[in-house]
Amino acid sequence: MFFSYLTAALIGGFGYCLIEIIWRGRTHYSMFFAGAIILSTFYYISNNFSLPFWLKCVLGMIIITGVELIFGIAFNLIMKENVWDYSNMQLNILGQICVPFSAIWFAISGAVFGVLEKI
């Protein structure tokens, strides 16, 4: 079980960094840890709860948005690392999260949970 979660964490960390590199051309080391936390949590949910697919997508969106808020406050606002800034986006909170990206996280959560259901 430990190695399953370690594998999920490593895939999540590298995957999140890869998404960032593809999307904006760069990443930050903190995103590895964010991705590791997120995919490990998704893996836990997928293996321990029988939920409707749409609810998994909503939970995934909330988890990713929450991790981004926590990491954004820590790395952008407190440590001044300037990893990202959503302040120009509509419906943002502290420039760290925003509704348009939460919608993207909903879709990505669906893809990830779809894969997790197959393994």
Side-chain angles (χ1 to χ4, degrees), residues 12-29:
F14 286 116
Y16 208 82
C17 289
L18 182 62
I19 289 169
E20 281 220 313
I21 290 169
I22 291 168
W23 183 260
R24 60 186 197 138
R26 64 186 172 88
T27 192
H28 185 266
Y29 73 90

Side-chain angles (χ1 to χ4, degrees), residues 100-118:
F101 272 89
S102 289
I104 292 169
W105 303 144
F106 178 87
I108 289 175
S109 295
V112 171
F113 278 116
V115 170
L116 289 173
E117 287 180 359
K118 305 278 188 238

